[in-house]
């Protein structure tokens, strides 16, 4: 039994799709979330800047009593995970390993598409992870830099014409390579699942990194006796580096339900 909270962070709101999975799969766990809403997006920045930001995010979270930290950001997981794991004693989980395992298991024809931010695709971390599991896989990849701003702007439901057109354009070269599995390699993208489903068709499996990571985390906590004592529902605390008011206005869409718990602004440059 371990009653300490699970820390989760992202460059902004995208990591809330992992919190949504935590609510579903580990409802008894306490969660402390940090979203770097003042500095989002990370995906257009250099690896050095992403590492510097991510270390600050991690240091802030570690000021709480945590049993582990989930890096609920494809970009940070791709670019900076080993350095984060070395920086603290607590286990730090990225989204890459669980996601590539799920994708490699899902594909039938060995063609797995990968999409993500510029930094994620440039790092080739997802692609290397897939090929480490099965060197025979074909792993076409494409950066989709315009999707995060559209999602943050609330344009993710079917009928958001600009988003629909962009998604069609982004996935077209991957579909032309006959992929049957697509890694939504940024935690913002699962909000676009309906639009991706329409663009890719029902035959393409869509892999959600937050969901896959939380599923593995649940198995890990079960195996190691690390679950929180059952009986009372878990609590949630939110921290952001920009307006808490703005966060509260938008977070519900990412969580798939109302924010439970307080949201507080922090000065992340102090960490
Ligand atoms: N949610 C982040 C990810 O998973 C991307 C957003 C950003 O560019 O900051 O990659």
């Amino acid at each position: 039994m371990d009653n300490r909270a699970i820390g989760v962070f992202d460059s902004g709101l995208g990591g809330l799709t992992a919190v949504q999975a935590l609510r579903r799969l580990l409802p008894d766990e306490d969660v402390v979330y940090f979203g770097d809403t003042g500095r989002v997006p990370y995906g257009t920045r250099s690896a050095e800047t992403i590492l510097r930001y991510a270390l600050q995010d991690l240091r802030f979270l570690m000021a709480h009593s945590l049993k582990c930290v989930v890096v609920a950001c494809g970009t940070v997981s791709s670019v900076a995970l080993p350095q984060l794991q070395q920086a603290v004693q607590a286990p730090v989980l990225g989204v890459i390993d669980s996601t590539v395992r799920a994708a490699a298991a899902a594909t039938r024809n060995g063609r797995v598409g990968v999409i993500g931010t510029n930094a994620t695709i440039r790092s080739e971390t997802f692609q290397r992870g897939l090929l480490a599991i099965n060197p025979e896989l074909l792993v076409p990849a494409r950066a989709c830099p315009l999707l995060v701003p559209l999602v943050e702007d609330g344009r993710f439901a079917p009928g958001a014409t600009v988003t629909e057109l962009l998604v069609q354009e982004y996935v077209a070269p991957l579909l032309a390579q006959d992929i049957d599995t697509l890694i939504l390699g940024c935690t913002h993208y699962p909000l676009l699942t309906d639009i991706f489903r329409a663009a890719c068709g029902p035959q393409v499996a869509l892999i959600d990194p937050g969901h896959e990571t939380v599923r593995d985390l649940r198995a890990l906590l079960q195996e190691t006796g690390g679950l929180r004592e059952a009986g009372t529902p878990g609590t949630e605390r939110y921290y952001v580096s920009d307006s808490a008011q703005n966060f509260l206005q938008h977070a519900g869409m990412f969580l798939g339900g109302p924010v439970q718990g307080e949201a507080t602004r922090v000065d992340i440059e102090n960490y």
Side-chain angles (χ1 to χ4, degrees), residues 91-159:
V92 179
L93 281 81
V95 293
I96 308 294
D97 288 354
S98 303
T99 306
V100 295
R101 268 198 302 271
T107 184
R108 296 286 161 257
N109 70 2
R111 293 165 180 253
V112 179
V114 182
I115 54 171
T117 64
N118 280 332
T120 296
I121 298 305
R122 199 173 51 225
S123 76
E124 298 188 358
T125 309
F126 277 113
Q127 299 93 305
R128 279 200 309 274
L130 287 164
L131 293 172
I133 295 173
N134 180 357
E136 306 281 299
L137 293 176
L138 189 76
V139 292
R142 178 115 204 238
C144 305
L146 297 175
L147 294 184
V148 167
L150 284 168
V151 170
E152 294 261 336
D153 195 43
R155 297 170 187 241
F156 49 76

Side-chain angles (χ1 to χ4, degrees), residues 10-11 40-43 73-75 117 148 186-188:
D10 178 44
S11 57
V40 68
Y42 284 10
C73 176
T75 305
T117 64
V148 167
C186 167
T187 49
H188 281 70

Side-chain angles (χ1 to χ4, degrees), residues 26 32 35 40 70 82-83 100 106 110 113 119 161 177 191 193 204-205 235 245 248 262-263 265-266 269:
L26 287 167
V32 181
V40 68
V70 177
Q83 294 93 323
V100 295
T161 321
Q177 298 205 52
L191 270 98
T193 294
V204 175
T235 61
Q245 205 53 43
L248 288 169
E262 286 182 12
R265 181 180 187 159
V266 294
E269 292 291 355

Side-chain angles (χ1 to χ4, degrees), residues 121-261:
I121 298 305
R122 199 173 51 225
S123 76
E124 298 188 358
T125 309
F126 277 113
Q127 299 93 305
R128 279 200 309 274
L130 287 164
L131 293 172
I133 295 173
N134 180 357
E136 306 281 299
L137 293 176
L138 189 76
V139 292
R142 178 115 204 238
C144 305
L146 297 175
L147 294 184
V148 167
L150 284 168
V151 170
E152 294 261 336
D153 195 43
R155 297 170 187 241
F156 49 76
T161 321
V162 174
T163 313
E164 286 175 341
L165 284 172
L166 258 177
V167 165
Q168 282 163 24
E169 187 191 310
Y170 281 142
V171 297
L174 307 179
L175 295 174
Q177 298 205 52
D178 198 25
I179 59 163
D180 72 351
T181 303
L182 178 63
I183 290 180
L184 305 179
C186 167
T187 49
H188 281 70
Y189 299 170
L191 270 98
L192 301 170
T193 294
D194 291 342
I195 292 180
F196 276 109
R197 168 76 46 239
C200 295
Q203 73 286 358
V204 175
L206 302 176
I207 309 293
D208 172 343
H211 175 81
E212 298 304 335
T213 304
V214 170
R215 211 162 48 169
D216 280 355
L217 174 62
R218 180 176 61 177
L220 180 75
L221 294 178
Q222 282 166 345
E223 276 164 30
T224 56
L227 290 169
R228 177 172 170 264
E229 202 170 357
T232 52
T235 61
E236 296 170 8
R237 265 176 299 164
Y238 295 95
Y239 297 92
V240 287
S241 54
D242 198 52
S243 157
Q245 205 53 43
N246 281 353
F247 172 81
L248 288 169
Q249 265 166 22
H250 294 109
M253 300 184 303
F254 286 75
L255 287 165
V259 178
Q260 291 155 12

